[in-house]
Amino acid sequence: EVRLVESGGDLVPAGGSLRLSCAASGFGFDDDGIGWFRQASGKEREGLSCINIRDGDTYYADSVKGRFTISADAAKNTVYLQLNSLTPEDTAVYHCAVCTVQAGKAFWDHDSWGQGTQVTVSS
């Protein structure tokens, strides 16, 4: 059974940065990827980014391309999301989930979400 635990969320000023971590267990990093969703209060779930562990192929949503960077450390069973140039619109609970990148698209296992970590960006 895949278990995902997010950490690293915090309260930061606009323009600031954070690094989120997703620690995985029961997951084959040679077979699949891990990515990030976010859900702001009263808003729809938004897929942000995914990385294939085996080949490093990545996907980014247009809303975060150029500001967020996903990376993986297979030896530590951990995927990171670097958040830069944050704005109040980035305020949300950030979740990681199993995913796969193919042909520039992300395919998600919506049953594998972690519990999330809160990112709050002040103006």
Side-chain angles (χ1 to χ4, degrees):
E1 178 180 351
V2 177
R3 296 186 298 275
L4 304 173
V5 179
E6 301 92 338
S7 62
D10 206 348
L11 172 64
V12 297
S17 298
L18 286 171
R19 189 184 72 162
L20 308 182
S21 298
C22 176
S25 61
F27 177 79
F29 279 88
D30 292 336
D31 300 323
D32 291 293
I34 292 179
W36 292 88
F37 280 71
R38 68 185 179 189
Q39 188 161 228
S41 180
K43 299 182 180 179
E44 295 181 354
R45 183 180 62 201
E46 180 184 17
L48 302 176
S49 186
C50 176
I51 183 168
N52 288 343
I53 307 305
R54 68 187 185 279
D55 59 22
D57 286 354
T58 57
Y59 160 84
Y60 292 97
D62 289 342
S63 61
V64 303
K65 190 175 297 183
R67 297 193 299 123
F68 293 4
T69 303
I70 194 167
S71 61
D73 187 336
K76 296 181 178 179
N77 291 339
T78 301
V79 170
Y80 306 97
L81 188 67
Q82 179 69 41
L83 316 179
N84 294 328
S85 301
L86 287 164
T87 75
E89 288 70 37
D90 295 313
T91 295
V93 178
Y94 285 68
H95 303 264
C96 55
V98 174
C99 59
T100 302
V101 180
Q102 292 183 330
K105 305 292 185 180
F107 300 85
W108 300 93
D109 179 357
H110 295 290
D111 297 324
S112 65
W113 288 57
Q115 65 181 12
T117 186
Q118 176 71 47
V119 172
T120 302
V121 184
S122 61
S123 57

